[in-house]
Amino acid sequence: MKKKRFFSFLKNEVSSISFNSLENNMFFVFLSSFYIIGAVLLILINSINITGLNISLDTTKGLISQLQILTLLYLSLNFKETGIAAALALNVFSQSSMIAIMIMENTFIYMPGIIAYTTFLIVIFLIHNYQQEINSKVEELETEKEKLQHLAYYDSLTKTANREMLIKELDYLSSLSDEKSINYTLIFIDFKNFKRINESWGFDIGDYILKEAAQRLKKIVHDSDLIGRLGGDEFAVVVHQQLEEKQLNRYIRTIKRELEKPYKYKSREVLLNSNFGISTFPQDGKNSKEIIRSADIAMYKAKTNVDKEIEFFAEHMEKEVVMDVQLEDVLKKAIKNEEFYLMFQPQYKTNGKELRGFEVLLRLHSSEFGTISPVRFIPEAEKSGLIKEIGDWVIRSSIQKFNSLKNHFEQELVLSINISVVQLTDPQFLAQVEDIIGKEKPEGFKIEFEITESHFISDQEYVIDVLYKLKDLGISIALDDFGTGYASLSYLQHIPIDVLKIDKSFIDLISHNSAREKMMVAPLIEMSHQWEVKVIAEGVETVEQLHYLEDHSCDFIQGFLFNKPLSEHQITKSF
């Protein structure tokens, strides 16, 4: 087997001899020429008189042979495949010449040389095999290197660039700005409620959606732009194109529409919405770290803003996001430093002449962040559980304030206090309310608790039981923001409510829409009256709205048409 392999090697190497690639390499030509001259000298040496050199004929032959072997070894090691082929050809030439002379002269004088050259022929074969193995290992290492490089810079699921590759690209683009004017845009993309898909239907469908989303991005995104996956359901696009603001907006909306088309997986069809956060170099950052941070902040704002799914970074966002992150600490400081305060929104009979009472509104002015909207701090207070302590303060403080204000009013008013679902479902809530009423002893006004439809999502039976017990304490119940949440008419009649508050979004229909849309308000009023429930219309701002509500026998109204929320001092001046 080895013999066949050796002769196959000889045949292949001889046929592969090509000097074209080395025609300009003078050293290779010199070595080859030197070898051929040495071979000729060996053939002719017997007929050359060298007695004057004081060197024996055998010594001369040995020196020439050793120099030839060293030449062949150098060619084999330094000129790769072509060198081995040349060494092989020269070796064969030498042996052929020696064999020819031995046959012609009938002598064995060159036999030691033939043995030496044959031995070296084997050495060349071994060197060739060794080089082949080395080359094979090098190729394997190069292949593994490419694989590792791909794993290091590309996402294995979507075959798009990963976070490391995106950062590398942003670093490169940012570095170019030192030499010339460079602008680029970074777009962060995130799917809403993607986690729910994995939890409900499994990771197979989630992975399919991610791969399909990547394919859609590749189809819609410009060839010069880089697509990447940051992790989870988050993608990014580095926009190299120089686009005007309107062009960039169109580009982003085109991407959004493509990503929000239905995803069909087997028998299921999945619909997803997406959020976009965008930053631009160099306006929103001077390097990759700052640009990524700006896009991340814009994405955070897009996620938390119900009305806006695409957000471009703006400087004020950073302070707002920092505040959101620190909001729990801000609330703790607000409790400690007494930074919460109360405002009171008047409620009137529909004729606008007779005061019904006031809705208590919680406000916060932070010493660190200034005025913070309830839309932002109340969800965090509920999430952290601080709403229990804050809510306790609101009930106690509002009762205390109205105990001192009661002499300003001739009639008995209603003090309406908003109660969080976290408070209402707290086992200690009833006891705390009893304790506050027992200590503060409210007189000259009635207490009303406002709840929303979200209170009935978790444990309806428990909540309804608590409401009945509150009514036993003399507290009336108002259902706030009706029509915007989860309540259905079928179970409304089982809730012990005294007042139904129609949300401002329904009242707005009266002024700006058709008669058909206006008619949504009247049936709500009529239905409530049939159940002996009073109705308050929220957010009344125009005379047209007021007249419509009067015509349909709405009981009470509140809104800027009559009064904005008032402080305790303003109440004393106004009533």
Side-chain angles (χ1 to χ4, degrees):
M1 188 71 180
K2 286 186 178 181
K3 187 176 180 182
K4 286 183 180 180
R5 185 181 172 193
F6 179 70
F7 283 110
S8 173
F9 157 74
L10 291 176
K11 181 180 177 182
N12 291 335
E13 290 302 309
V14 171
S15 64
S16 69
I17 295 175
S18 172
F19 296 105
N20 292 333
S21 62
L22 296 166
E23 59 184 358
N24 294 323
N25 194 322
M26 297 305 296
F27 190 56
F28 178 84
V29 175
F30 169 75
L31 289 175
S32 302
S33 301
F34 174 79
Y35 183 93
I36 294 171
I37 292 169
V40 172
L41 283 174
L42 282 175
I43 295 169
L44 299 176
I45 199 164
N46 289 328
S47 59
I48 299 173
N49 186 1
I50 60 170
T51 54
L53 298 174
N54 295 321
I55 301 174
S56 67
L57 188 63
D58 290 339
T59 301
T60 303
K61 289 179 181 180
L63 284 172
I64 294 172
S65 298
Q66 292 303 315
L67 287 172
Q68 283 186 311
I69 289 172
L70 287 173
T71 301
L72 294 178
L73 183 61
Y74 188 88
L75 288 170
S76 301
L77 293 175
N78 290 280
F79 292 95
K80 299 183 180 179
E81 296 289 335
T82 305
I84 290 175
L88 177 61
L90 294 171
N91 188 301
V92 171
F93 170 75
S94 295
Q95 292 200 60
S96 301
S97 302
M98 290 178 182
I99 292 170
I101 293 171
M102 287 171 60
I103 292 171
M104 287 187 293
E105 296 181 0
N106 195 20
T107 179
F108 290 97
I109 190 170
Y110 291 110
M111 185 56 70
I114 290 174
I115 292 171
Y117 285 115
T118 302
T119 302
F120 189 72
L121 195 62
I122 295 170
V123 171
I124 292 175
F125 172 70
L126 294 173
I127 289 172
H128 176 267
N129 275 358
Y130 178 73
Q131 286 186 338
Q132 290 290 92
E133 288 180 11
I134 292 295
N135 290 339
S136 176
K137 292 291 183 184
V138 169
E139 287 177 4
E140 288 179 12
L141 288 172
E142 287 294 330
T143 303
E144 288 300 318
K145 183 181 176 181
E146 289 176 5
K147 288 181 180 177
L148 288 173
Q149 190 171 17
H150 194 274
L151 288 173
Y153 292 115
Y154 289 89
D155 178 59
S156 59
L157 178 66
T158 61
K159 311 304 179 190
T160 59
N162 62 10
R163 178 180 282 272
E164 296 303 318
M165 181 65 173
L166 288 165
I167 292 173
K168 188 176 181 181
E169 178 75 2
L170 296 177
D171 284 336
Y172 170 72
L173 292 172
S174 302
S175 67
L176 292 179
S177 65
D178 296 333
E179 303 170 9
K180 51 186 176 179
S181 178
I182 292 291
N183 292 285
Y184 65 82
T185 300
L186 178 61
I187 303 171
F188 275 8
I189 305 167
D190 179 85
F191 287 109
K192 294 181 181 179
N193 299 321
F194 186 82
K195 184 180 178 182
R196 178 174 51 82
I197 292 171
N198 281 332
E199 291 174 347
S200 303
W201 295 338
F203 288 95
D204 287 345
I205 188 169
D207 288 348
Y208 165 78
I209 290 172
L210 291 175
K211 288 189 282 188
E212 174 65 18
Q215 289 302 313
R216 293 183 186 185
L217 284 171
K218 290 175 185 177
K219 181 178 73 173
I220 202 74
V221 166
H222 194 273
D223 291 340
S224 65
D225 300 338
L226 177 65
I227 303 164
R229 182 186 172 209
L230 297 168
D233 61 328
E234 294 182 344
F235 288 90
V237 178
V238 181
V239 182
H240 295 82
Q241 306 169 73
Q242 304 300 305
L243 300 176
E244 299 292 336
E245 185 178 346
K246 288 183 179 179
Q247 292 174 316
L248 181 60
N249 272 301
R250 281 198 299 268
Y251 187 48
I252 291 169
R253 292 190 182 281
T254 300
I255 294 172
K256 193 177 193 311
R257 282 194 299 271
E258 184 67 26
L259 290 176
E260 292 182 356
K261 289 179 180 177
Y263 292 84
K264 295 180 181 179
Y265 180 79
K266 296 181 180 178
S267 60
R268 289 194 176 98
E269 183 174 277
V270 182
L271 293 172
L272 287 171
N273 290 330
S274 55
N275 293 118
F276 283 66
I278 302 104
S279 62
T280 302
F281 179 90
Q283 296 94 308
D284 302 329
K286 304 303 180 186
N287 52 50
S288 62
K289 185 177 180 181
E290 291 180 5
I291 288 296
I292 288 171
R293 187 167 182 271
S294 296
D296 211 21
I297 288 171
M299 171 61 77
Y300 178 86
K301 293 299 294 180
K303 285 182 177 180
T304 55
N305 191 338
V306 179
D307 302 321
K308 206 171 181 183
E309 296 179 330
I310 299 173
E311 286 280 6
F312 287 81
F313 177 78
E315 287 185 9
H316 68 82
M317 288 182 179
E318 189 165 2
K319 183 179 179 181
E320 291 174 358
V321 169
V322 170
M323 185 186 69
D324 285 346
V325 173
Q326 300 175 350
L327 197 50
E328 184 176 347
D329 291 334
V330 171
L331 293 176
K332 289 177 181 177
K333 289 179 184 177
I335 294 170
K336 181 180 178 182
N337 300 332
E338 299 182 350
E339 294 174 346
F340 288 106
Y341 64 97
L342 301 177
M343 298 292 284
F344 304 90
Q345 173 79 60
Q347 297 173 337
Y348 294 88
K349 284 191 174 182
T350 311
N351 60 22
K353 297 177 180 179
E354 188 175 339
L355 185 67
R356 174 186 185 260
F358 295 85
E359 178 183 356
V360 181
L361 303 175
L362 179 64
R363 297 292 183 260
L364 168 61
H365 185 84
S366 166
S367 57
E368 186 175 358
F369 294 101
T371 300
I372 304 174
S373 168
V375 175
R376 298 182 69 181
F377 74 74
I378 287 179
E380 179 60 35
E382 291 179 329
K383 179 182 173 184
S384 62
L386 292 172
I387 194 66
K388 295 177 184 178
E389 185 176 355
I390 296 169
D392 182 270
W393 176 85
V394 169
I395 298 170
R396 191 181 303 275
S397 297
S398 56
I399 292 175
Q400 288 174 352
K401 290 182 184 299
F402 261 74
N403 272 336
S404 64
L405 289 170
K406 62 186 177 183
N407 295 330
H408 288 271
F409 307 102
E410 295 180 359
Q411 73 275 34
E412 188 179 52
L413 299 180
V414 176
L415 181 64
S416 189
I417 305 170
N418 288 279
I419 302 297
S420 163
V421 64
V422 178
Q423 292 174 269
L424 200 63
T425 54
D426 179 14
Q428 304 301 317
F429 178 66
L430 276 172
Q432 290 170 346
V433 172
E434 287 182 28
D435 179 67
I436 292 171
I437 290 174
K439 289 180 178 178
E440 302 302 333
K441 296 180 173 56
E443 293 182 10
F445 58 93
K446 295 179 180 178
I447 297 174
E448 180 176 84
F449 282 173
E450 287 191 21
I451 61 173
T452 64
E453 298 172 41
S454 62
H455 287 69
F456 302 97
I457 298 173
S458 52
D459 190 344
Q460 293 182 20
E461 291 184 5
Y462 177 81
V463 170
I464 290 171
D465 183 59
V466 171
L467 295 180
Y468 274 112
K469 290 178 179 177
L470 288 172
K471 286 177 72 67
D472 290 341
L473 294 174
I475 298 170
S476 60
I477 306 298
L479 182 62
D480 195 11
D481 299 333
F482 179 76
T484 63
Y486 307 88
S488 66
L489 299 178
S490 61
Y491 77 78
L492 268 181
Q493 54 188 317
H494 302 296
I495 302 172
I497 61 173
D498 304 284
V499 176
L500 185 143
K501 300 186 74 174
I502 301 177
D503 187 69
K504 182 182 185 300
S505 60
F506 285 91
I507 303 305
D508 288 341
L509 295 175
I510 297 172
S511 297
H512 303 292
N513 292 282
S514 66
R516 181 178 179 184
E517 290 174 311
K518 289 181 181 181
M519 289 305 295
M520 294 183 68
V521 176
L524 291 178
I525 298 172
E526 185 179 350
M527 173 199 70
S528 300
H529 288 166
Q530 288 177 354
W531 291 338
E532 298 182 349
V533 170
K534 300 291 184 180
V535 178
I536 298 177
E538 294 185 288
V540 179
E541 297 176 351
T542 68
V543 174
E544 181 186 357
Q545 292 171 345
L546 175 62
H547 289 165
Y548 181 88
L549 294 167
E550 281 182 312
D551 291 343
H552 291 86
S553 304
C554 182
D555 299 291
F556 306 103
I557 58 170
Q558 71 179 74
F560 288 0
L561 180 63
F562 290 101
N563 248 324
K564 293 182 179 181
L566 305 173
S567 67
E568 183 180 1
H569 175 72
Q570 288 172 323
I571 290 175
T572 61
K573 297 296 183 182
S574 301
F575 298 95

